């Protein structure tokens, strides 16, 4: 049996017994491409849905053995030479513990993809992680790269699975890669051309034992970076991760800031995004990239995302005009600081994608005064820092979801004068998503005053009462439209 640690895209994988744990989009892509390479594949997954069963049926026809049922991932199959795990598996999951004990390599789909790059046309990876803003930033970056005439794709934690991107018969010129901390945990050999950590804030403490562990996984993105480690000057934790990183000799640390940039940074001067890092005379001048009016939003976190995307693009050699054109044409996906309606001098905004306190704080900082709609699954996060920072902006708070009491208690401690309305609802599924949001909108409308913004920035995950954050945002938008129509 060949040593799997030496195998790549052009090698024969015949005889390799690969186990794939998890059968979502990335897991299915891993199964498909391992079969293509000649490996014997045994996939196991717990979650059953029509889409997963359809994938299983197709891949079984191609030769994979698929087990999808409760308990399927509880044990590691006896015949295993490598385990490819989906990001949701904690390091203490029994199947991973068993693999470690048996000396079997444990890879994520990102690690597999890195090993399967075309040695003759290895498209460079421009990688992005962070607690918040990853998807927007990677899509901004992809827009810039396309504006420069490159064949680019957004892949990884958003868009195309990375194994599909690297195995595409027509090679990409460059890949804009979004990576979660979970994905980075199971990635060892990657060497990004450039990488950015946008921010590090409290999140996923139901998965990690500590914030240090979480930050450490975020910092893995900088390991072996070749050109530029991009960090957020407003978030010292990101700069510290750069300082600790083991990079390729010659790689530069590039900061971005919403203020005037120092030499070697990108920033904002008089409503203009400028570059003082990737120009010859950076000690005495700056290159204009675009204006704030060129962006789809001037919310501070949106501008910061644009600067990070620009930094990665400039590190790749992209021109000022292509950065401008890419940012000017970019429009964010739904449920990201999206104005739903303006009625009776009240603005209704859907930022359902703000699923943790840091994201909610960034959203709240863009508006004042605010009727804040929040709550859901807090995932172990606290809200004291958020309320301390933005309590003065709040007209009122309308709280929903299982962990709404966590937010209510933080408001009681740090902003006791802010009225709190708790929309008490039956257990999940007992009340329709739209009916729930109609109650929320009615409560918000009662306290909102002319000039206010009613902002859905939950600071929590959605799965206690909604299918996902998009369903939550859709229900909010529909309820607002019903309210506006009267």
């Amino acid at each position: 049996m060949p040593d799997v640690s030496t195998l790549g895209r052009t090698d024969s994988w015949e005889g390799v017994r690969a186990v794939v744990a998890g059968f979502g989009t990335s897991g299915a892509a891993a199964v498909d491409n391992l079969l293509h390479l000649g490996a014997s594949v045994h996939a196991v997954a717990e979650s059953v849905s029509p889409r997963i069963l359809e994938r299983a049926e197709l891949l079984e026809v191609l030769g994979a053995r698929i087990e999808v049922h409760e308990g399927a991932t509880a044990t590691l199959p006896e015949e295993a030479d490598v385990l490819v795990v989906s990001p949701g598996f904690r390091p203490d999951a029994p199947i991973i513990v068993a693999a470690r004990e048996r000396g079997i390599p444990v890879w994520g789909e990102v690690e597999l993809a890195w090993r399967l790059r075309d040695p003759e046309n290895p498209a460079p990876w421009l990688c992005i992680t962070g607690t918040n803003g990853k998807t927007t930033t990677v899509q901004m970056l992809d827009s810039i790269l396309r504006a420069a005439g490159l064949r680019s794709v957004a892949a990884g934690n958003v868009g195309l699975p990375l194994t599909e991107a690297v195995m595409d018969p027509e090679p990409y010129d460059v890949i804009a890669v979004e990576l979660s901390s979970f994905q980075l945990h199971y990635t060892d050999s990657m060497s990004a051309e450039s990488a950015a950590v946008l921010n590090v804030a409290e999140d996923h403490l139901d998965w990690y034992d500590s914030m240090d562990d979480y930050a450490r996984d975020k910092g893995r993105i900088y390991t072996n970076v070749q050109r530029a480690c991009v960090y957020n000057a407003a978030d010292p934790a990101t700069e510290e991760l750069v300082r600790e990183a083991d990079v390729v000799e010659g790689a530069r640390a590039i900061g971005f800031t919403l203020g005037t940039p120092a030499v070697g940074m990108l920033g904002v001067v008089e409503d203009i995004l400028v570059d003082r890092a990737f120009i010859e005379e950076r000690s005495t001048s700056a290159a204009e990239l675009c204006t704030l009016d060129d962006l789809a939003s001037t919310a501070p976190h949106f501008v910061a995302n644009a600067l990070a995307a620009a930094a990665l693009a400039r590190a790749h050699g992209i021109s000022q005009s292509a950065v401008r054109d890419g940012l000017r044409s970019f429009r964010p996906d739904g449920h990201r600081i999206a104005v739903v309606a303006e009625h009776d001098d009240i603005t209704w905004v859907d930022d359902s994608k703000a699923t943790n306190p840091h994201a909610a704080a960034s959203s709240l900082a863009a508006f004042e005064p605010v009727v804040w709609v929040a709550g859901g699954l807090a995932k172990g996060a606290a809200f004291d820092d958020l309320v301390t920072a933005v309590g003065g902006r709040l007209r009122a708070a309308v709280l929903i979801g299982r962990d709404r009491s966590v937010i209510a208690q933080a408001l009681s401690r740090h902003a006791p004068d802010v009225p709190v309305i708790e929309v008490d609802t039956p257990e999940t599924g007992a009340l329709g998503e739209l009916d729930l949001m109609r109650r929320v909108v009615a409560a918000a409308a009662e306290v909102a005053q002319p000039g206010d913004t009613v902002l859905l920035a939950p600071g929590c995950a959605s799965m206690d009462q909604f299918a996902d954050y998009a369903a939550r945002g859709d229900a909010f938008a529909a309820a607002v439209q019903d309210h506006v129509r009267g």
Side-chain angles (χ1 to χ4, degrees):
M1 194 278 296
D3 178 2
V4 294
S5 66
T6 67
L7 297 181
R9 179 198 189 101
T10 59
D11 299 307
S12 171
W13 289 63
E14 186 175 353
V16 173
R17 300 165 301 181
V19 175
V20 176
F23 204 59
T25 303
S26 64
V31 172
D32 188 18
N33 285 287
L34 284 166
L35 288 172
H36 175 75
L37 293 165
S40 171
V41 184
H42 185 172
V44 292
E46 304 270 341
S47 178
V48 179
S49 71
R51 186 173 184 181
I52 284 177
L53 293 176
E54 183 180 350
R55 288 174 185 157
E57 184 177 356
L58 173 62
L59 291 170
E60 282 178 328
V61 170
L62 296 176
R65 179 183 175 187
I66 312 288
E67 291 185 69
V68 182
H69 58 79
E70 185 176 348
T73 66
T75 58
L76 179 67
E78 285 299 318
E79 296 185 345
D81 301 313
V82 62
L83 173 63
V84 180
V85 295
S86 293
F89 282 85
R90 287 171 52 101
D92 57 2
I95 196 168
I96 294 175
V97 172
R100 302 290 192 199
E101 290 175 347
R102 287 161 54 179
I104 294 169
V106 178
W107 299 344
E109 187 254 351
V110 176
E111 177 68 19
L112 175 64
W114 182 259
R115 294 168 179 267
L116 297 184
R117 293 172 307 131
D118 186 344
E120 295 185 2
N121 295 286
W125 290 12
L126 304 178
C127 298
I128 297 166
T129 193
T131 304
N132 298 301
K134 298 183 293 296
T135 297
T136 296
T137 307
V138 82
Q139 291 174 338
M140 283 178 170
L141 176 59
D142 183 44
S143 179
I144 293 169
L145 296 169
R146 290 170 182 263
L150 298 177
R151 185 170 189 261
S152 168
V153 67
N157 199 46
V158 65
L160 197 65
L162 272 165
T163 48
E164 291 189 17
V166 299
M167 293 292 286
D168 193 303
E170 183 182 351
Y172 288 96
D173 297 317
V174 59
I175 302 176
V177 181
E178 177 186 331
L179 295 173
S180 70
S181 60
F182 301 161
Q183 289 173 309
L184 285 161
H185 184 85
Y186 298 112
T187 302
D188 296 309
S189 61
M190 183 183 77
S191 176
E193 180 181 276
S194 296
V197 180
L198 303 176
N199 41 64
V200 179
E202 192 174 73
D203 200 12
H204 298 305
L205 295 183
D206 52 348
W207 202 91
Y208 288 98
D209 292 332
S210 69
M211 271 296 295
D212 286 344
D213 291 342
Y214 173 59
R216 190 175 301 112
D217 274 354
K218 288 292 188 190
R220 291 168 69 92
I221 200 168
Y222 290 135
T223 302
N224 297 320
V225 157
Q226 300 166 28
R227 289 191 185 177
C229 295
V230 177
Y231 68 91
N232 183 350
D235 189 338
T238 65
E239 185 174 7
E240 183 59 28
L241 292 174
V242 175
R243 295 182 190 281
E244 295 174 353
D246 185 9
V247 302
V248 173
E249 185 176 355
R252 299 172 57 194
I254 305 295
F256 63 90
T257 174
L258 295 178
T260 302
V263 174
M265 299 176 66
L266 281 73
V268 181
V269 177
E270 296 181 353
D271 294 340
I272 298 172
L273 278 64
V274 300
D275 169 14
R276 293 194 67 192
F278 300 102
I279 58 174
E280 289 187 10
E281 299 298 326
R282 57 180 179 267
S283 62
T284 57
S285 61
E288 179 178 332
L289 300 176
C290 69
T291 68
L292 291 178
D293 287 341
D294 288 323
L295 303 179
S297 170
T298 58
H301 61 294
F302 194 88
V303 178
N305 293 341
L307 288 165
L312 291 168
R314 294 287 283 165
H316 189 64
I318 301 302
S319 68
Q320 296 166 241
S321 59
V323 171
R324 179 201 62 215
D325 293 346
L327 291 175
R328 183 180 286 169
S329 64
F330 173 76
R331 291 295 178 270
D333 288 345
H335 314 298
R336 291 168 170 84
I337 53 173
V339 175
V340 173
E342 295 178 348
H343 181 68
D344 290 341
D345 201 23
I346 296 170
T347 303
W348 299 78
V349 177
D350 166 17
D351 198 10
S352 184
K353 188 62 172 66
T355 57
N356 56 59
H358 184 269
S362 296
S363 190
L364 286 160
F367 305 99
E368 185 177 13
V370 175
V371 176
W372 179 31
V373 179
L377 295 174
K379 300 177 290 181
F383 285 77
D384 296 85
D385 290 346
L386 179 156
V387 174
T388 300
V390 304
R393 294 176 173 269
L394 301 180
R395 173 81 65 197
V398 180
L399 305 182
I400 61 173
R402 192 184 75 183
D403 294 332
R404 62 186 181 274
S405 63
V406 176
I407 306 174
Q409 291 164 14
L411 286 162
S412 177
R413 285 190 292 270
H414 305 291
D417 294 334
V418 174
V420 174
I421 304 165
E422 294 193 42
V423 179
D424 193 7
T425 60
E427 292 298 317
T428 304
L431 185 69
E433 294 175 347
L434 180 55
D435 287 338
L436 168 58
M437 274 303 181
R438 283 175 174 148
R439 294 188 186 185
V440 169
V441 167
E446 283 290 323
V447 293
Q449 299 180 18
D452 287 357
T453 296
V454 178
L455 173 65
L456 173 66
C460 294
S462 58
M463 288 78 74
D464 57 332
Q465 295 178 304
F466 300 89
D468 50 32
Y469 77 84
R472 178 170 60 190
D474 288 341
F476 177 75
V480 170
Q481 293 303 327
D482 287 348
H483 168 75
V484 168
R485 286 192 295 265

